[in-house]
Amino acid sequence: MNIFVTGCTGYIGSHTCVELLNAGYNVIGLDNFSNSKREVLDKIKQITNKKIKFYEGDMLDESILDKIMNENNIDVVVDFAAYKAVGDSVVKPISYYINNVSSVLTLIKVMQKHNVKKLIFSSSATVYGKQDIMPITEEMPIGNTTNPYGTSKLFVEHILNDLSIADPEFKIIVFRYFNPVGAHPSGLIGENPNGIPANLMPFIAKVATKELECLSVFGDDYDTLDGTGVRDYIHIVDLAKAHLNGINKLNNMNEGGLLVYNLGTGKGYSVLEMIKTFEKVNNVTINYKIAPRRSGDIDTCYADSSKASKELGWTASLNLEDMCKDAYNFVINNK
């Protein structure tokens, strides 16, 4: 089976490619390296002893998507190609809407042209906005987003829902990721964004190795146990493996439609809990300071992932200590 993975060298994309290759799928990948590195392709091969059939290009370029569809008999598309930094999206909203929304429209247009009707879309828990009840289930309302990144994912979800109604042959799974962290246990691939990390775990890891001087904890006056934001962190390998379950589900759907699943652990950890666990597991000290809240951040967010467990047979198995250990292992092996 041929799986087309967009954003294949990015953080989530690369780990998913590893799981797909290890499961025996043929992987066709596309990336423009806007937030990843070419060397990831070699590392995926080193882990799996298999190669991605890789194309370099931009998701907004219809011609490269046409080329991929013409040259490969694509069965399923898994779309990871998106900007993902909440704070950055507040500063550059138009860039996020163009990249995260227009790219999907281009992809769908080409998929329809080539009669490829199975899609897994990487969405985000940010589509839920601020919820008063925890944990968050898929039935809770979406739309009260607090930043352009989340709104871009919300727009695409609406587009895909409309598509599933207009074209009932489409089989679509939307995965709402909570907070993927950690790295592959080999230490070869992990979260290694270009420039200063926007996400918590890679920033902590770089402070631990003295690549960065100090971690800013954005806000200590949230309505949480220690005042810092609480999130549902999920190990990247657990998250990647969920896509295997998703592909199996698509292949066994008797009719078209759109299905939505939360991917999380169902447990929230605060920023300070993350720091303390990282220090304990890796025997390091993290230099941090309290900084003002970031625009668009919320107090608490964690998942109810029981629907994914029941319908896909997927549950997260790795804990926060595993996440911290593997994240640090990756950084010290890639200094």
Side-chain angles (χ1 to χ4, degrees), residues 105-123:
L105 291 170
T106 305
L107 175 64
I108 291 168
K109 179 181 177 182
V110 175
M111 288 178 68
Q112 287 184 308
K113 178 179 176 181
H114 294 271
N115 198 36
V116 178
K117 299 291 182 77
K118 294 177 183 176
L119 172 66
I120 295 177
F121 175 68
S122 59
S123 190

Side-chain angles (χ1 to χ4, degrees), residues 217-224 226-229 290-293 299:
V217 176
F218 296 106
D220 63 350
D221 58 349
Y222 285 105
D223 185 18
T224 62
D226 60 23
T228 62
I290 304 300
R293 292 188 183 196
D299 299 49

Side-chain angles (χ1 to χ4, degrees), residues 31-177:
D31 214 309
N32 63 1
F33 304 113
S34 64
N35 194 33
S36 62
K37 295 177 172 61
R38 189 180 298 274
E39 65 195 40
V40 170
L41 294 168
D42 292 330
K43 292 182 177 181
I44 292 172
K45 182 182 177 183
Q46 192 174 341
I47 294 169
T48 64
N49 291 316
K50 298 176 182 178
K51 286 183 66 174
I52 293 173
K53 185 176 181 181
F54 179 72
Y55 294 79
E56 182 174 355
D58 195 291
M59 277 277 287
L60 294 168
D61 180 1
E62 189 174 329
S63 65
I64 188 69
L65 296 176
D66 260 325
K67 178 179 173 66
I68 290 168
M69 296 289 180
N70 282 326
E71 295 180 357
N72 304 276
N73 183 24
I74 302 299
D75 296 292
V76 179
V77 177
V78 185
D79 181 25
F80 297 112
Y83 296 153
K84 63 174 187 174
V86 169
D88 192 44
S89 77
V90 175
V91 177
K92 299 186 292 187
I94 303 305
S95 294
Y96 273 70
Y97 291 131
I98 291 172
N99 188 73
N100 293 6
V101 181
S102 296
S103 63
V104 177
L105 291 170
T106 305
L107 175 64
I108 291 168
K109 179 181 177 182
V110 175
M111 288 178 68
Q112 287 184 308
K113 178 179 176 181
H114 294 271
N115 198 36
V116 178
K117 299 291 182 77
K118 294 177 183 176
L119 172 66
I120 295 177
F121 175 68
S122 59
S123 190
S124 166
T126 55
V127 301
Y128 291 112
K130 181 176 173 58
Q131 298 284 344
D132 295 326
I133 300 173
M134 293 291 150
I136 293 173
T137 69
E138 293 87 349
E139 287 70 38
M140 288 183 176
I142 61 173
N144 189 26
T145 50
T146 59
N147 55 75
Y149 165 70
T151 305
S152 74
K153 292 295 187 181
L154 176 70
F155 286 166
V156 174
E157 286 204 24
H158 285 315
I159 290 166
L160 295 178
N161 185 63
D162 290 341
L163 171 65
S164 70
I165 295 169
D167 187 343
E169 291 185 354
F170 256 94
K171 298 177 180 180
I172 303 168
I173 286 179
V174 171
F175 280 140
R176 291 174 182 159
Y177 306 149

Side-chain angles (χ1 to χ4, degrees), residues 106-302:
T106 305
L107 175 64
I108 291 168
K109 179 181 177 182
V110 175
M111 288 178 68
Q112 287 184 308
K113 178 179 176 181
H114 294 271
N115 198 36
V116 178
K117 299 291 182 77
K118 294 177 183 176
L119 172 66
I120 295 177
F121 175 68
S122 59
S123 190
S124 166
T126 55
V127 301
Y128 291 112
K130 181 176 173 58
Q131 298 284 344
D132 295 326
I133 300 173
M134 293 291 150
I136 293 173
T137 69
E138 293 87 349
E139 287 70 38
M140 288 183 176
I142 61 173
N144 189 26
T145 50
T146 59
N147 55 75
Y149 165 70
T151 305
S152 74
K153 292 295 187 181
L154 176 70
F155 286 166
V156 174
E157 286 204 24
H158 285 315
I159 290 166
L160 295 178
N161 185 63
D162 290 341
L163 171 65
S164 70
I165 295 169
D167 187 343
E169 291 185 354
F170 256 94
K171 298 177 180 180
I172 303 168
I173 286 179
V174 171
F175 280 140
R176 291 174 182 159
Y177 306 149
F178 279 66
N179 293 77
V181 297
H184 193 270
S186 66
L188 290 170
I189 57 172
E191 189 167 14
N192 191 19
N194 295 332
I196 302 297
N199 294 331
L200 177 61
M201 182 72 91
F203 208 118
I204 289 176
K206 287 183 181 293
V207 171
T209 60
K210 311 300 183 185
E211 292 179 60
L212 296 173
E213 182 180 349
C214 183
L215 168 71
S216 292
V217 176
F218 296 106
D220 63 350
D221 58 349
Y222 285 105
D223 185 18
T224 62
L225 285 174
D226 60 23
T228 62
V230 170
R231 299 291 182 270
D232 187 337
Y233 297 101
I234 175 172
H235 198 294
I236 186 63
V237 172
D238 277 333
L239 188 82
K241 288 180 177 179
H243 296 79
L244 303 180
N245 300 66
I247 291 169
N248 187 58
K249 179 69 173 180
L250 287 176
N251 290 333
N252 286 287
M253 288 172 65
N254 293 323
E255 56 187 25
L258 183 145
L259 301 172
V260 178
Y261 299 98
N262 289 337
L263 295 183
T265 64
K267 181 173 177 58
Y269 295 98
S270 74
V271 175
L272 291 183
E273 284 181 293
M274 172 76 84
I275 293 170
K276 290 172 183 175
T277 302
F278 196 99
E279 290 180 324
K280 175 186 174 184
V281 169
N282 298 308
N283 194 28
V284 294
T285 300
I286 305 300
N287 184 27
Y288 71 90
K289 64 180 180 181
I290 304 300
R293 292 188 183 196
R294 292 183 302 187
S295 175
D297 277 349
I298 58 177
D299 299 49
T300 301
C301 183
Y302 61 95

